[in-house]
Amino acid sequence: MPQAGDQAPAFQLADQDGNPVSLAQFAGRSVVLYFYPKDDTPGCTVEACGFRDEHSALEAAGAVVLGVSADSTASHRKFATKYNLPFPLLADVDHTVSEAYGVWGEKSLYGRKFLGITRATFLIGPDGVLKQVWPKVKVNGHVAEVLAALKGEAPAADSAVKKPAAKKAPTGKKVAAAKKAPAGKTVSGKSAATSKATAKKAAPAAKAPRAAKKAATAKKAPVAKKSAAAKKPAAGKKPAPAKKPAAAKKASAGKKPTPVKKPAAAKKASAGKKPAPAKKSAAAKKASRK
C-alpha cells in the first residue's frame, strides 16, 4: 500500500454511467479516492451517504470524491440511484487498481476466507502526491476526518493521534468510574466504620436504660410487697383502741348488773302488805266450779 508522500498510482476506470474516469483529468485538484467492499451493504451505504451529505463541503475545499469497488457498472448505477450519490462510482471489476493501491487481498468473514477489497481512503494532492492515507477505515466519523484533513486542520501526524483520542473516551470513562468506585468504597467503609462505632456507642446507651429500668423495678418490687403486707394486717385486724379493759370485760361477761337497792321504807311496805289477789274473770270462775 502506498503511503503519504508517495506518488499516487495512475488509473482509468468506468463510472456507473459507463463514462471513463482517470486520475490525470483531476490534475491541480485534490482527489478523495475511497475503496469500499461492496455496493448496498450496511457499512458501505453509511460511508457513501456520509460523503454524499458532505459533498458540497468537500467540493468547497477543492476536492473531488471518487468511490471504487469491484462491482459492475450496473450495480454501481443501482446503488447511486437508490441513495442519490452525486459523485462517480468506479467499477474495478478486474481489481487492477485495487491491487495497485494495496487494498486487494484475503479477507475473512464468519470463518470463511475470500479475496476482496479492504476499506481504505487516499487523499491525493493537486500535484498527484498522496497527502494522507487511512488504511483501515471505520465509517462512523470518517468523512469528518477527511474534510478536516482537506482544510489543513488534521495533518497526517495528527490523524494518527486523533484515532486513539476517540478510543480514549471510553477508557477515560472507565478510569473515572474506577476512581469513583474507590471513593464510593472508602466512603462506604467510613460510613460502615462510623455506623459500627455509633452502634457500639449506642448499644451501652440502649442497655443502660434497660438496666436502670430493671434496677428500678427490682427496687420497687420490695416496696410494693411491704406496702401490700402492711395493708393486709391493717385490713384483717381491728384497731387497737377498740379493745376494752380487762375489768370491763369481766364485768360484762361474768357479772350481772347490781340491782338498785330499794329504800328500807319501801321494803317494809312491801313485806307487810300482801298483794291483793287478782280478780278472776267470769269464765275462769265457771271453770273452777266445774
Side-chain angles (χ1 to χ4, degrees), residues 46-125:
V46 171
E47 186 177 19
C49 290
F51 280 114
R52 176 201 64 191
D53 296 341
E54 297 294 339
H55 188 255
S56 59
L58 292 165
E59 281 190 327
V64 175
V65 178
L66 301 174
V68 182
S69 79
D71 296 310
S72 64
T73 55
S75 175
H76 282 342
R77 187 183 309 111
K78 185 178 179 181
F79 184 39
T81 303
K82 182 178 180 179
Y83 294 101
N84 298 318
L85 303 180
F87 48 84
L89 297 178
L90 307 182
D92 187 21
V93 179
D94 57 359
H95 48 82
T96 55
V97 177
S98 302
E99 287 179 0
Y101 278 86
V103 296
W104 181 266
E106 188 178 81
K107 300 175 69 176
S108 178
L109 181 66
Y110 302 114
R112 183 175 63 88
K113 293 183 179 181
F114 59 95
L115 294 175
I117 292 177
T118 301
R119 197 185 306 278
T121 300
F122 299 85
L123 177 59
I124 305 170

Side-chain angles (χ1 to χ4, degrees), residues 51-266:
F51 280 114
R52 176 201 64 191
D53 296 341
E54 297 294 339
H55 188 255
S56 59
L58 292 165
E59 281 190 327
V64 175
V65 178
L66 301 174
V68 182
S69 79
D71 296 310
S72 64
T73 55
S75 175
H76 282 342
R77 187 183 309 111
K78 185 178 179 181
F79 184 39
T81 303
K82 182 178 180 179
Y83 294 101
N84 298 318
L85 303 180
F87 48 84
L89 297 178
L90 307 182
D92 187 21
V93 179
D94 57 359
H95 48 82
T96 55
V97 177
S98 302
E99 287 179 0
Y101 278 86
V103 296
W104 181 266
E106 188 178 81
K107 300 175 69 176
S108 178
L109 181 66
Y110 302 114
R112 183 175 63 88
K113 293 183 179 181
F114 59 95
L115 294 175
I117 292 177
T118 301
R119 197 185 306 278
T121 300
F122 299 85
L123 177 59
I124 305 170
D127 55 357
V129 176
L130 291 170
K131 299 299 181 183
Q132 192 163 341
V133 178
W134 290 270
K136 293 181 180 179
V137 171
K138 292 184 179 180
V139 295
N140 293 325
H142 176 56
V143 178
E145 290 178 341
V146 174
L147 187 58
L150 278 168
K151 293 179 179 179
E153 298 174 1
D158 295 341
S159 65
V161 177
K162 278 189 175 183
K163 287 183 181 179
K167 291 180 182 179
K168 281 181 183 178
T171 56
K173 288 179 182 178
K174 287 180 182 177
V175 171
K179 286 181 181 178
K180 286 180 183 178
K185 287 180 182 178
T186 52
V187 172
S188 62
K190 287 181 181 178
S191 61
T194 308
S195 61
K196 285 181 181 179
T198 52
K200 285 180 181 179
K201 289 180 181 179
K207 288 179 181 178
R210 290 179 182 175
K213 285 181 181 181
K214 286 181 181 179
T217 51
K219 288 179 182 180
K220 286 179 181 179
V223 175
K225 286 180 182 180
K226 286 178 181 180
S227 60
K231 285 179 182 180
K232 284 180 181 179
K237 292 182 180 180
K238 293 181 180 180
K243 292 181 180 181
K244 294 180 181 181
K249 282 183 181 181
K250 289 179 181 180
S252 59
K255 292 183 179 181
K256 294 181 180 180
T258 54
V260 180
K261 293 181 178 182
K262 294 181 180 182

Side-chain angles (χ1 to χ4, degrees), residues 279-290:
K279 291 182 179 182
K280 295 180 181 181
S281 61
K285 288 178 178 182
K286 285 181 179 181
S288 60
R289 288 176 182 177
K290 290 178 178 181

